[in-house]
Every structure is written in structure tokens, then in C-alpha cells.
Amino acid sequence: MSRFKSEFLRTLDERGFIHQISDEAGLDELFAKETVTAYIGFDPTAPSLHAGGLIQIMMLHWMQKTGHRPISLMGGGTGMVGDPSFKEEARKLMTVDMIEDNIASIKRVFSNYLNYESGPKGGALMINNGDWLRGLNYLEFLRDVGRHFSVNRMLSFDSVKTRLDREQSLSFLEFNYMILQAYDFVELAKRYDCRLQMGGSDQWGNIVNGIDLGHRMGTQQLYALTSPLLTTSSGAKMGKSINGAVWLNPDMLSAYDFWQYWRNTEDADVSRFLKLYTTLPMDEIARLSALGGSEINEVKKILATEITAMLHGRDAAEQAAETARKTFEEGALADNLPTVEVPTAELEAGMGLLALVVKAGLAASNGEARRHVQGGAVKINDKAMTDDRATIGKAEVSDAGVIKVSLGKKKHILIRPV
């Protein structure tokens, strides 16, 4: 029996989203009696978010699905500073143009999870905090907002203490970030009646600052809710793979590679990920979670397909699953494997095996590629390669017009001469 009355908090609780709430009873009462507006902020540090941010997006998704209004706040203003929370060094500063380009790129993903056209109070909102932060008068901001902050208290937050304990310089610019984030909460409360800020557990101090500032500046009671910071069972950071970040934008990572990331989920994480990253009913998740032995691999395919379907669409997800089935179960050369184009002249002249492995994106350097070859992990057209000085050329191009390069059993790339 859930301790929550409201459907939203009950849903988050049973699916494992809740780490901490500022006033549990008060927030539950609020969600039970009215339509609530809440937000999560996303800083545009890259052209795409990665899979580590999916837990936040899913929280907004469930909020709208249970009858409330979510705000996805884009950091067009705060992105000019960069969140220093638990970072070992300062972020590289970005220009306004870089930030705007990243925001435009990131926006494309959100419509797969949120309905901005219709829903409670007219649908979800996407707002840029640059709308109010970039035009601030510095002296007025110091007088009206800055005076409410205690430097002693700001220094006590773990996010700041961690940086100072490591004797890493914390610039005055970065130190201002928590003030700007707190001010965002107040602005959203005044403009959109936003009552709740959500985020990862590393944001707790920043969110509580916003609640305190709202209290001092005359807003209604504001609330904080954080989710646990997730790692895999083996301790790996969510959203990272051996080949880098697991990007959400399709132009930065294909639906097939995204599907494969989730298909490779560790056994101990399957049940937890079904709750967090899919919309499957809880009784179905309980049934799938009870399966063991070889059946766990079928559950992983369901997990991968459901998560991929939300981001890339059902057709792309099922196509990715079918490509994997043909590749791994039938040994066929599937048309939908990721493809890298190489000038025909380079292959006719002969490419070194190590260079080809790097070109395929299966290694970051010739040294890493050599270690893969020496370890017996590299195959060309399903034939194991043992000579790291081998040359690959026109003779290896199949009747289908491609060369299949494999690393282990799960990474396959097609090289296509052009």
C-alpha cells in the first residue's frame, strides 16, 4: 500500500523515482487536490542530452500522464555559466550562438515524451530561462535577489564543499549559478504558478535555495523532489558506453545502437530499468521480472524495444530488434546495421586493419584496435583476424557491396565503398 494519496507521487514511488521530498505530506496534498505545474531544468552543454537524462524526462512524462502540467526549462541563461555542482573543474564557456544551436537540437527529443499541444492547462511548456536572465540589471539583481543569500550557507552545500575540498578553483561566475537557479524557480512560480522543481539528488541544495528564495520574495509554498543518481549494478555511469555517450538525438546515435545499449543491460538492472524507463504496467513488469535463466535475454529485448519505441518510434524500435535478431541469431548481414562510408580509392589501395577498425568507430586509436585484434575480438566478414598488420581491400567487399567489421559478438559495422 503506497503512502501517497496522489496518483503522480504514487506512480513515482512504485517505479523508484523518489529520493527525497522537501515536504512529503504537503506536496502529496497539493497533487491530490489540484493540477500542479512543475519543472526540471536542462542545461544545453551539448547538441543532445544522453541516456543519463532520461530519468528526468520520464518524471515529466508521468507528471503529464497523471493530469498535471510539466515544464521543460532550457538553460539559455544558466548555460552561459555552467552548473558547478560536483564538477571537478569549470565547464568550457559557450557563446550565445552555441547555446541556442544546442537548445534547438535538444528540443526535438522532448516531443516524443511530452505533449506540448494539449493536456492539463493547455499542454506541457518548453521555456528558455534566457528570457529573463539575459536581460537582468546586475545591480538591481544583487540588491533584490542577492541580498537573500548567505555566503556561509552556500559554502556549506556538498556540491560546493566537494570542489573546495579538492582544492579546485571555484570561480565567482560558477558560484553565482545556484543563485540563478533559485531565481529561475521564483520566476516560474510568478509567471506560471509553478510549485515544484524536480531534479537529480545532486540538485537538492540548489532546489532548496529556490524554495527559501521564494519564501523571502513572497511566492506560494514551493517544493523540491529529487530522484536517485543512477549507476548500473557494476557501478558504471548511466548514459555512458564503451564507445562514449548514449545520445538521444538520432543524428548522433542510431536507433539500432540505442537499442543495443539497452539490450546489453546487466541482469540485475532489468527490473529497475523496466520501471524507470518504460510505461509498461507494473503487473506486467512484475511478471517479466520473475523470469530467469535464458528467458532474461528475451526480457532484455522487450526492455530495449520499449525504451527505443518511446524515443525513436515503434517502427524504428522493431526494425532495430529485427536487425539484431538477423545479425546475432541467423548470422545474416542485416541491411540496417550502422554503415560507415569509405572512399573506394582507399580500399583499392588497401587499408590497414587497425585503421579500418578505427574508421568503423570500434576503437579510438590504432593502439586500442591492436589490443582488440590481439585479443581475438575483431572479425572481418565474420572471419577472425589475428594479424594486426593485415591489409583490407577490394577483395573483402561482399556481393552486397560492403565489408562487415565486428568487435566481439555485439558490435557490427558495415563499411561501404563510395
Side-chain angles (χ1 to χ4, degrees):
M1 188 72 177
S2 175
R3 66 187 190 272
F4 295 108
K5 295 183 294 184
S6 61
E7 184 184 4
F8 174 62
L9 291 183
R10 205 163 54 240
T11 299
L12 290 197
D13 186 37
E14 67 184 4
R15 288 182 174 267
F17 284 97
I18 296 177
H19 176 72
Q20 201 168 1
I21 300 176
S22 58
D23 174 3
E24 195 172 283
L27 187 62
D28 192 29
E29 184 69 29
L30 184 68
F31 270 102
K33 72 179 183 181
E34 61 183 81
T35 302
V36 178
T37 299
Y39 88 98
I40 297 177
F42 300 88
D43 269 346
T45 54
S48 170
L49 301 176
H50 60 68
L54 261 184
I55 187 171
Q56 312 301 334
I57 298 174
M58 289 301 294
M59 289 167 78
L60 294 177
H61 170 82
W62 283 115
M63 189 179 174
Q64 187 169 40
K65 199 161 185 177
T66 55
H68 302 278
R69 182 173 66 163
I71 296 175
S72 47
L73 182 69
M74 310 308 292
T78 45
M80 299 180 71
V81 177
D83 185 359
S85 298
F86 300 98
K87 302 294 186 296
E88 293 189 2
E89 57 186 25
R91 292 186 186 273
K92 182 181 177 182
L93 294 181
M94 298 186 295
T95 65
V96 172
D97 287 344
M98 290 167 62
I99 290 169
E100 291 302 319
D101 287 346
N102 284 350
I103 288 175
S105 181
I106 289 170
K107 279 182 177 180
R108 300 199 300 265
V109 163
F110 279 89
S111 59
N112 297 307
Y113 299 88
L114 300 175
N115 188 336
Y116 292 96
E117 303 300 324
S118 63
K121 295 186 177 180
L125 299 173
M126 180 168 284
I127 299 167
N128 187 335
N129 66 10
D131 292 348
W132 55 81
L133 291 181
R134 288 180 187 169
L136 285 175
N137 179 296
Y138 184 60
L139 290 178
E140 289 181 359
F141 183 72
L142 284 179
R143 183 191 64 196
D144 297 340
V145 178
R147 66 190 177 91
H148 294 301
F149 286 83
S150 160
V151 171
N152 289 11
R153 185 163 183 267
M154 291 166 73
L155 287 171
S156 72
F157 285 118
D158 286 342
S159 57
V160 174
K161 285 171 62 179
T162 301
R163 181 81 162 266
L164 297 178
D165 288 346
R166 292 176 181 170
E167 298 182 355
Q168 299 286 345
S169 175
L170 181 70
S171 70
F172 180 69
L173 176 70
E174 294 175 285
F175 195 55
N176 273 269
Y177 186 93
M178 64 178 71
I179 300 178
L180 296 177
Q181 184 172 333
Y183 185 66
D184 281 346
F185 201 173
V186 173
E187 280 292 318
L188 289 171
K190 290 181 176 180
R191 295 178 182 221
Y192 302 99
D193 190 30
C194 180
R195 303 292 299 279
L196 168 66
Q197 183 183 353
M198 301 185 291
S201 59
D202 60 336
Q203 293 298 310
W204 180 257
N206 289 340
I207 300 175
V208 169
N209 263 337
I211 294 174
D212 291 345
L213 181 63
H215 178 72
R216 295 170 187 274
M217 296 185 72
T219 67
Q220 295 187 74
Q221 178 62 52
L222 304 180
Y223 299 89
L225 188 158
T226 60
S227 60
L229 289 184
L230 287 184
T231 58
T232 65
S233 291
S234 62
K237 191 174 182 180
M238 283 301 301
K240 301 288 185 181
S241 72
I242 58 171
N243 294 315
V246 182
W247 300 111
L248 301 185
N249 280 37
D251 56 335
M252 294 179 68
L253 189 76
S254 70
Y256 175 81
D257 285 332
F258 186 78
W259 188 94
Q260 276 294 338
Y261 171 75
W262 297 103
R263 166 63 183 85
N264 294 334
T265 293
E266 297 169 39
D267 291 2
D269 291 326
V270 171
S271 179
R272 182 168 56 130
F273 288 178
L274 282 168
K275 294 175 186 176
L276 290 170
Y277 299 117
T278 81
T279 57
L280 291 174
M282 289 299 293
D283 56 354
E284 175 65 5
I285 291 174
R287 185 188 71 80
L288 294 172
S289 299
L291 299 176
S294 61
E295 290 178 311
I296 192 70
N297 289 321
E298 296 305 312
V299 179
K300 290 180 183 180
K301 293 174 189 176
I302 293 171
L303 171 73
T305 300
E306 290 301 315
I307 299 176
T308 305
M310 286 196 76
L311 177 62
H312 292 278
R314 181 67 58 179
D315 289 346
E318 292 179 352
Q319 189 176 69
E322 178 63 11
T323 298
R325 187 187 68 79
K326 286 182 178 180
T327 302
F328 303 133
E329 297 173 18
E330 296 181 1
L333 188 61
D335 294 334
N336 298 313
L337 286 174
T339 302
V340 175
E341 295 181 343
V342 172
T344 301
E346 288 188 30
L347 283 174
E348 288 180 342
M351 284 188 73
L353 174 61
L354 302 184
L356 188 67
V357 172
V358 172
K359 184 79 173 179
L362 297 175
S365 65
N366 281 359
E368 183 182 344
R370 182 177 290 108
R371 289 191 293 274
H372 289 321
V373 173
Q374 292 173 347
V378 175
K379 292 182 179 179
I380 298 295
N381 295 333
D382 297 321
K383 178 184 175 182
M385 305 300 293
T386 56
D387 184 0
D388 58 28
R389 295 168 295 178
T391 298
I392 307 300
K394 195 173 179 181
E396 279 71 37
V397 178
S398 69
D399 292 341
V402 294
I403 301 172
K404 182 182 178 184
V405 185
S406 304
L407 177 63
K409 296 180 179 179
K410 297 182 178 179
K411 296 295 293 184
H412 306 274
I413 304 293
L414 301 182
I415 300 294
R416 189 179 302 279
V418 291

